[in-house]
């Protein structure tokens, strides 16, 4: 099967050695994604809900570049730096996936790469033919 690496254009992708998403056959794996806006800055500073919404938009964009969509997502993993924000992040996730209902996890982590990042989300999709 052919491999397609999808880049978000972030300058740290070649430094760290990763892709925003990788598509192999009908499978699309979206890397841990944060609320980075087009200007490279974090959207929604201090607001976990706003960051989750932007993060999910970024995931949707990566999926679209791979020929997939939110409807194809079968699993998500949500990471929050403060578990008290789980309802805000969960609300945003529900707005995108209420009818799709992928398997998911939501866990607290001690920190993300930058202190202003409150949320990181991964997604796996399967494009059915």
């Amino acid at each position: 099967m052919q491999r397609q690496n999808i880049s978000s254009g972030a300058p740290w992708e070649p430094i760290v050695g990763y892709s925003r998403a990788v598509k192999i056959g009908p499978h699309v794996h979206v890397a841990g994604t944060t609320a980075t806006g087009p200007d490279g800055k974090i959207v929604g500073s201090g607001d976990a809900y706003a960051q989750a919404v932007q993060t999910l938009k970024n995931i949707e964009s990566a999926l679209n570049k791979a020929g997939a969509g939110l409807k194809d997502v079968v699993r998500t993993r949500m990471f929050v730096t403060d578990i008290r924000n789980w309802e805000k992040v969960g609300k945003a996730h529900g707005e995108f996936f209420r009818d799709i209902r992928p398997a998911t996890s939501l866990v607290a982590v001690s920190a993300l790469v930058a202190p202003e990042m409150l949320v990181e989300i991964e997604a796996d999709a399967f494009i059915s033919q």
Side-chain angles (χ1 to χ4, degrees), residues 80-81 108-112:
V80 296
T81 57
V109 295
S110 62
L112 295 171

Side-chain angles (χ1 to χ4, degrees), residues 15-75:
I15 294 167
V16 176
Y18 77 97
S19 297
R20 170 61 43 223
V22 176
K23 177 182 179 185
I24 298 179
H27 301 275
V28 181
H29 302 277
V30 182
T33 303
T34 60
T36 307
D39 61 358
K41 296 179 182 173
I42 296 299
V43 173
S45 181
D47 184 340
Y49 170 79
Q51 286 195 20
V53 168
Q54 181 63 45
T55 298
L56 290 161
K57 287 179 181 178
N58 291 348
I59 287 171
E60 184 174 30
S61 174
L63 289 166
N64 290 339
K65 289 178 184 177
L70 292 175
K71 67 179 176 25
D72 300 305
V73 173
V74 295
R75 178 156 180 85

Side-chain angles (χ1 to χ4, degrees), residues 88-128:
K88 296 173 186 174
V89 175
K91 177 182 181 211
H93 187 274
E95 289 170 359
F96 283 77
F97 291 110
R98 182 165 283 114
D99 296 328
I100 300 163
R101 310 278 301 265
T104 195
S105 301
L106 188 151
V107 298
V109 295
S110 62
L112 295 171
V113 173
E116 65 271 18
M117 293 177 179
L118 305 176
V119 179
E120 184 168 309
I121 303 174
E122 300 175 350
D124 297 320
F126 181 82
I127 304 168
S128 57

